């Protein structure tokens, strides 16, 4: 089992019966599985707030087996994993989870467990110097809270995550996260595949803030990023950085064949209008039915240097032009006269186009609603008690 397929199976067991988790332990071993769980907990933990350093043990058990990881927490520093034999280790708190309980906490539905599902030993040893007790008590309490913040599915909202990881999707030039919250909520508990074009980062900074934000938000999600630059150093469980040009449809199709289909695709790449259209045309077929294709930064439709149209009305070859076309495709059943030949992919599969300032969400499904039958002429409407458009206009004029 490769590391990627192990993580994927683990994610799926979050909602599976215990027997599947036990089968997975048999195949992969407790040590290996617990290692993946500890990485996930560390990724989710909030920053420590305790000013006095505290060592906390995270223990995962299965039958008689136990895996202990010692974590040192102190404000202003990343949480450190210590070697249990390190002579400086002084464990102030133990949290012990049975493996299936921790799996459910991390990859189960985003609700707090309704009963206590772990054991906790608080300050097993009396501090040598009792004058330090108040400070040690508080720090131990805070460090425990930090560890538990990483042992849950729920977490901060997308605005806070965007700021925490350094994305510009909220409280910057953009205010996108409220729209993301609205449209993504129903996917949050699902083992989704998400692809974002445009990983971000500047000289000296590898980037990936929004990929980390999606990984944290979609606690069962597999997140892929695509960028012109090689950012594979960002790779970690559930997050893969791919390299390629969004203006090249063959590259896009190749990556989608390998890693898709996707539940969600987000275009936050070059924002060149031509690239936006090429990417949409190549990748929309790889969005799962019921999924979403998101396009950010629609303002470039009005910027000629990005291939946009100057003035108040955008041309068909811009991102806004694409959305206008999709609105027409959505209403395919209403075209008069009825077009000949098969529907295009977007005529058959676009079921909604939600557009906000500078961001759009295109929903995929079966665009199968039929029109009102052509034989419903004025006479038929009259039979239903309706007035004809002509009669309506007459009435309006006479008032
Ligand atoms: C706005 S940043 C992405 C920010 C990130 N999504 C976030 O929210 O933090 C745009 C990224 O698109 C990448 N990019 C530019 N042109 C591209 C292209 N033709 N294909 C793929 N990626 C491209 C850039 O290298 C840059 O990393």
């Amino acid at each position: 089992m490769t590391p990627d397929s192990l993580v994927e199976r683990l994610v799926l067991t979050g909602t599976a019966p215990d027997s599947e988790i036990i089968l997975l332990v048999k195949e992969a071993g407790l040590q290996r599985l617990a290692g993946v769980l500890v990485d996930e907990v560390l990724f989710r933990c909030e920053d420590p707030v305790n000013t006095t350093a505290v060592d906390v043990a995270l223990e995962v058990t299965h039958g008689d087996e136990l895996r202990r990881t010692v974590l040192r927490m102190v404000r202003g520093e990343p949480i450190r994993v210590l070697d249990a034999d390190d002579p400086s280790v002084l464990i102030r708190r133990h949290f012990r989870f049975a493996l299936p309980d921790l799996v459910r906490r991390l990859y189960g539905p985003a609700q707090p467990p309704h009963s206590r599902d772990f054991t906790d030993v608080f300050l097993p040893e009396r501090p040598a110097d009792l004058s330090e007790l108040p400070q040690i008590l508080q720090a131990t309490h805070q460090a425990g809270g930090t560890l538990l913040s990483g042992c849950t599915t729920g977490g901060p909202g997308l605005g806070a995550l965007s700021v925490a990881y350094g994305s510009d999707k909220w409280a910057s030039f953009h205010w996108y996260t409220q729209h993301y919250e609205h449209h993504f909520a129903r996917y949050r508990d699902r083992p989704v595949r998400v692809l974002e074009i445009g990983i971000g980062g500047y000289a000296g900074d590898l980037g990936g803030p929004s990929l980390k934000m999606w990984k944290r938000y979609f606690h069962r999600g597999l997140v892929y990023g695509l960028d012109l630059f090689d950012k594979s150093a960002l790779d970690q469980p559930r997050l893969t950085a791919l390299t390629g040009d969004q203006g090249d449809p063959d590259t896009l199709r190749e990556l989608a064949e390998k890693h898709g289909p996707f539940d969600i695709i987000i275009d936050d790449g070059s924002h060149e209008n031509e690239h936006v259209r090429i990417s949409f045309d190549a990748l929309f077929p790889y969005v799962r039915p019921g999924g979403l294709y998101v396009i950010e930064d629609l303002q470039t439709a009005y910027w000629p240097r990005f291939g946009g149209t100057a003035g108040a009305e955008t041309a068909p070859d811009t991102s806004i032009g694409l959305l206008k076309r999709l609105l027409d495709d959505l209403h395919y059943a209403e075209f008069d006269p009825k077009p000949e030949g098969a529907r295009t992919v977007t005529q058959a599969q676009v079921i909604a186009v939600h557009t906000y300032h500078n961001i759009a969400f295109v929903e995929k499904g079966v665009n199968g609603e039929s029109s009102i039958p052509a034989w419903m002429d004025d006479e038929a409407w009259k039979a239903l008690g309706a007035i004809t458009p002509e009669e309506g206009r007459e009435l309006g004029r006479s008032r």
Side-chain angles (χ1 to χ4, degrees):
M1 220 182 312
T2 64
D4 280 355
S5 60
L6 174 65
V7 172
E8 207 170 336
R9 275 192 59 192
L10 199 50
V11 163
L12 293 175
T13 56
T15 52
D18 274 8
S19 55
E20 297 228 0
I21 302 179
I22 287 158
L23 192 69
L24 194 55
V25 191
K26 271 201 188 123
E27 284 178 45
L30 172 71
Q31 300 300 321
R32 201 170 160 212
L33 280 187
V36 176
L37 297 178
V38 170
D39 281 350
E40 187 73 43
V41 169
L42 287 174
F43 175 75
R44 295 185 191 190
C45 272
E46 284 159 18
D47 290 339
V49 290
N50 47 298
T51 50
T52 302
V54 174
D55 296 343
V56 178
L58 173 57
E59 295 165 349
V60 185
T61 62
H62 182 65
D64 298 336
E65 249 193 297
L66 177 142
R67 162 154 171 165
R68 173 179 297 148
T69 310
V70 182
L71 305 167
R72 179 159 296 167
M73 304 190 182
V74 64
R75 179 189 280 180
E77 289 179 22
I79 299 174
R80 272 174 56 206
V81 179
L82 299 182
D83 185 341
D85 298 328
D86 183 328
S88 73
V89 165
L90 174 58
I91 299 173
R92 299 259 195 226
R93 197 161 191 179
H94 293 253
F95 287 97
R96 183 171 294 184
F97 291 91
L99 182 103
D101 290 332
L102 190 53
V103 169
R104 296 224 187 288
R105 273 183 164 256
L106 296 175
Y107 307 117
Q111 282 157 7
H114 53 68
S115 59
R116 206 176 145 90
D117 56 354
F118 60 91
T119 60
D120 170 28
V121 183
F122 189 94
L123 277 177
E125 308 279 338
R126 188 178 208 244
D129 179 357
L130 282 185
S131 69
E132 292 177 354
L133 189 58
Q135 186 186 338
I136 289 172
L137 273 182
Q138 191 193 27
T140 306
H141 169 199
Q142 290 172 326
T146 299
L147 182 75
L148 286 180
S149 75
C151 298
T152 56
T153 48
L158 278 175
L161 286 177
S162 171
V163 172
Y165 289 119
S167 171
D168 67 353
K169 292 194 193 310
W170 188 66
S172 66
F173 291 134
H174 311 302
W175 293 96
Y176 295 149
T177 54
Q178 69 265 35
H179 307 307
Y180 278 122
E181 294 272 11
H182 177 69
H183 289 281
F184 284 4
R186 68 189 154 116
Y187 302 93
R188 191 167 191 179
D189 269 355
R190 300 196 207 157
V192 286
R193 277 174 191 267
V194 179
L195 168 68
E196 181 165 20
I197 304 171
I199 296 177
Y202 303 94
D205 167 22
L206 205 50
S210 52
L211 300 186
K212 292 175 194 157
M213 164 174 127
W214 300 132
K215 176 177 165 179
R216 181 71 183 89
Y217 180 78
F218 294 114
H219 56 100
R220 308 177 73 204
L222 300 181
V223 177
Y224 297 86
L226 173 71
D227 207 281
L228 267 185
F229 301 100
D230 179 4
K231 289 170 182 280
S232 53
L234 286 169
D235 286 4
Q236 52 184 266
R238 303 202 292 114
L239 190 163
T240 308
L242 308 167
T243 312
D245 179 357
Q246 75 168 127
D248 175 7
D250 290 338
T251 302
L252 299 175
R253 279 191 283 267
E254 205 177 299
L255 81 84
E257 286 289 334
K258 187 163 174 208
H259 302 288
F262 300 101
D263 299 273
I264 292 171
I265 297 180
I266 301 159
D267 183 349
D268 184 21
S270 70
H271 306 304
E272 294 273 353
N273 283 272
E274 189 188 6
H275 288 171
V276 174
R277 282 185 291 111
I278 289 174
S279 302
F280 181 85
D281 289 341
L283 292 175
F284 187 71
Y286 293 95
V287 175
R288 279 212 179 102
L292 288 171
Y293 192 103
V294 186
I295 306 175
E296 286 192 10
D297 288 20
L298 299 173
Q299 71 276 9
T300 63
Y302 301 89
W303 295 357
R305 68 198 166 90
F306 280 75
T309 322
E313 199 170 328
T314 51
D317 62 356
T318 63
S319 55
I320 297 273
L322 165 69
L323 295 169
K324 290 190 228 178
R325 188 195 94 204
L326 296 181
L327 276 179
D328 283 333
D329 288 350
L330 174 60
H331 293 93
Y332 173 89
E334 312 302 335
F335 292 179
D336 188 14
K338 296 283 165 234
E340 309 218 328
R343 295 183 182 214
T344 63
V345 170
T346 45
Q347 286 168 347
Q349 298 182 342
V350 168
I351 58 164
V353 182
H354 310 266
T355 307
Y356 306 88
H357 186 212
N358 289 344
I359 187 168
F361 296 74
V362 181
E363 267 187 72
K364 180 161 172 175
V366 178
N367 185 26
E369 282 180 40
S370 55
S371 179
I372 298 166
W375 55 260
M376 280 296 294
D377 53 14
D378 285 355
E379 209 184 333
W381 281 112
K382 254 194 158 135
L384 293 177
I387 57 170
T388 65
E390 178 53 32
E391 286 167 342
R393 282 193 287 273
E394 268 302 311
L395 269 173
R397 276 195 289 273
S398 64
R399 289 221 166 122

